Amino acid sequence: MEEKAISKEKHSKHAKLAKPMGGSYHRQEWAILGTPCGEIRKLVGSLCAALGEKWKLAYLDEDHKASEEEYKTSMLSGHAYLEATNKINYFRFDHATAPSPFATKAIFNALDAIFINGNHFTASRQIVVIDPRKDVVKKIDRLTNICLVLMAEGQTKIPDEVQARMNPGTPVISVSDAQRIINWVASQLDLSVAPVKGLVLAGGKSQRMETDKGLIFYHGKPQREYMYDLLSAAGIQPHLSIRTDQTYSVSKEANTVMDRFLGLGPYGAILSALMSDPNTAWLTVACDLPLLGKEHIDLLLQYRNSSKVATAFYNPETDFPEPLITVWEPKAYQILLNYLALGYSCPRKVLINSDIELVNVADHAFMMNANTPDEKDKALNLIAASAKFN
């Protein structure tokens, strides 16, 4: 009797997805511990004051002196699960229970970094203060990735237990040297900016054009190849966004992102790219933009604001952001999925309702879409006239 070969590969019921980088609460987090809570709050306050105009920063703390009077007037005391309050200067959500780690990450998604009171919470990275008022050795189990050591006034020695857990080259700064601390945090935030990859949106059905828009010759080669080369010339690793039935027509050497959100058009293509690499910002360009040049891609990159959800050109023809020439930051991934869950699949709607960097230009002719044969002929005439003039 013939024996069947037994596979040694472990069976998995779940798809293997690329996960965004992150810690307990955020991709960029530091727990500060080793000094009284008031000192931690003061330190974080100075960092937010110095860096908050450029970066979206947050602070996670625990209030062990909750006001009894405030609790009596809260809807939560009457067994409401959530109370939302417009406090004029800020908006507050009060939850009856602490959110789960997954819900917390969703809340902090749009931020650039979060500082955490390490006396109460743990985080993937730590800033340790050597201060006689708080014995950090008692929390030695929380010191898993020490990034910075701050020495309180009069302190000259780092405990052996802490030294044993320090990474080679960990900077040691006096806690009173505010500017050096600010400079160090600023450098870490700069280093955390995601790299950019390029995505040519070439997976559409081109029904109005009646022929594949990505294969039209505007510049001596198929338009999708032309756009692919534009991204490469701008110093970005290019990718073609395609459907599974287009693979036969694409070079094996080309980087591709297969559309995993079928029937959603550009929205699905952008989500597919973020799903393939959620730790990268994706600069999308549609292949129906025959007047787009490298100078426009360079301009968008020049004005890129990684602290925002996206960076896009303002299109005066529509009075809206242009969604298909846009840098989508990693934080856009969750936001796009949220809109999809609410029944929306329009990238422009996401841009309109999100915190984005909007780039205004005097000459916006390059945003012209060519979706019909007449628009194709118009684009060809403009390109020919421009070449003759130059």
Side-chain angles (χ1 to χ4, degrees):
M1 184 175 179
E2 186 179 341
E3 294 185 3
K4 292 183 178 180
I6 300 174
S7 174
K8 294 183 179 180
E9 291 185 12
K10 187 177 180 180
H11 175 68
S12 175
K13 294 187 292 184
H14 309 292
K16 292 182 178 179
L17 299 178
K19 289 184 171 58
M21 292 184 296
S24 302
Y25 302 95
H26 193 267
R27 294 178 292 272
Q28 187 80 347
E29 63 178 19
W30 294 283
I32 305 174
L33 66 163
T35 193
C37 297
E39 296 300 318
I40 294 173
R41 187 175 186 85
K42 190 188 303 181
L43 173 60
V44 174
S46 67
L47 291 169
C48 290
L51 302 170
E53 287 191 15
K54 180 178 179 181
W55 307 97
K56 293 187 182 70
L57 307 174
Y59 180 50
L60 175 63
D61 199 357
E62 183 175 275
D63 184 0
H64 12 194
K65 295 180 181 178
S67 167
E68 184 67 25
E69 189 62 34
E70 187 171 292
Y71 174 74
K72 286 178 182 177
T73 61
S74 170
M75 286 291 175
L76 303 184
S77 64
H79 303 294
Y81 187 76
L82 174 72
E83 182 176 3
T85 311
N86 187 342
K87 300 290 286 185
I88 309 304
N89 291 326
Y90 62 94
F91 199 92
R92 190 173 81 186
F93 287 98
D94 294 326
H95 297 258
T97 59
S100 72
F102 293 102
T104 305
K105 286 181 180 179
I107 293 168
F108 292 132
N109 171 67
L111 303 173
D112 295 307
I114 177 171
F115 300 102
I116 296 162
N117 186 332
N119 292 334
H120 302 297
F121 304 100
T122 59
S124 59
R125 284 171 283 185
Q126 302 87 43
I127 296 174
V128 175
V129 185
I130 306 302
D131 188 330
R133 293 173 291 178
K134 279 277 186 180
D135 185 2
V136 74
V137 175
K138 290 182 179 179
K139 291 185 169 63
I140 197 70
D141 58 310
R142 299 188 182 187
L143 305 185
T144 57
N145 185 8
I146 302 172
C147 298
L148 175 67
V149 175
L150 302 177
M151 306 297 288
E153 187 177 354
Q155 300 303 299
T156 57
K157 187 176 186 308
I158 300 172
D160 293 340
E161 298 90 336
V162 175
Q163 288 193 51
R165 293 184 175 231
M166 288 170 59
N167 296 321
T170 300
V172 179
I173 304 174
S174 168
V175 76
S176 63
D177 195 341
Q179 194 55 55
R180 278 191 67 195
I181 298 170
I182 290 167
N183 291 345
W184 181 85
V185 173
S187 70
Q188 297 302 301
L189 291 170
D190 285 335
L191 289 170
S192 72
V193 173
V196 182
K197 290 181 180 179
L199 186 71
V200 180
L201 302 171
K205 296 290 184 69
S206 305
Q207 292 174 328
R208 286 176 289 172
M209 185 65 78
E210 300 173 356
T211 188
D212 191 334
K213 289 184 288 187
L215 300 181
I216 297 173
F217 279 58
Y218 290 108
H219 304 277
K221 62 176 70 173
Q223 180 64 3
R224 69 186 185 193
E225 291 181 23
Y226 177 76
M227 298 297 245
Y228 189 95
D229 292 343
L230 275 187
L231 291 169
S232 182
I236 303 171
Q237 185 187 71
H239 296 72
L240 284 176
S241 169
I242 57 172
R243 307 184 310 273
T244 52
D245 60 349
Q246 289 178 297
T247 53
Y248 75 94
S249 65
V250 176
S251 167
K252 291 182 179 179
E253 285 72 40
N255 302 313
T256 58
V257 173
M258 210 65 65
D259 199 344
R260 300 177 71 171
F261 292 80
L262 304 181
L264 294 180
Y267 201 96
I270 298 164
L271 270 174
S272 297
L274 286 163
M275 178 179 279
S276 71
D277 188 350
N279 300 307
T280 289
W282 288 88
L283 193 161
T284 58
V285 291
C287 63
D288 57 7
L289 298 165
L291 305 184
L292 185 73
K294 177 180 173 293
E295 67 273 18
H296 307 118
I297 295 172
D298 290 339
L299 188 64
L300 192 64
L301 289 171
Q302 178 185 335
Y303 284 98
R304 176 199 176 193
N305 188 339
S306 63
S307 186
K308 306 283 189 177
V309 172
T311 301
F313 285 112
Y314 168 71
N315 189 340
E317 292 288 328
T318 61
D319 195 28
F320 289 127
E322 179 50 59
L324 304 185
I325 321 171
T326 293
V327 180
W328 298 88
E329 298 296 336
K331 62 184 72 173
Y333 186 21
Q334 179 183 297
I335 294 168
L336 287 161
L337 287 171
N338 287 345
Y339 272 77
L340 188 61
L342 293 171
Y344 298 100
S345 61
C346 173
R348 181 178 280 117
K349 186 174 288 291
V350 176
L351 293 176
I352 293 169
N353 293 284
S354 298
D355 182 21
I356 68 167
E357 186 73 21
L358 204 53
V359 182
N360 286 277
V361 289
D363 183 3
H364 57 275
F366 67 91
M367 297 185 216
M368 172 193 152
N369 292 99
N371 290 306
T372 66
D374 286 345
E375 290 170 344
K376 177 191 73 173
D377 292 341
K378 179 182 177 181
L380 286 169
N381 289 334
L382 286 170
I383 291 167
S386 176
K388 186 178 181 180
F389 181 78
N390 292 328

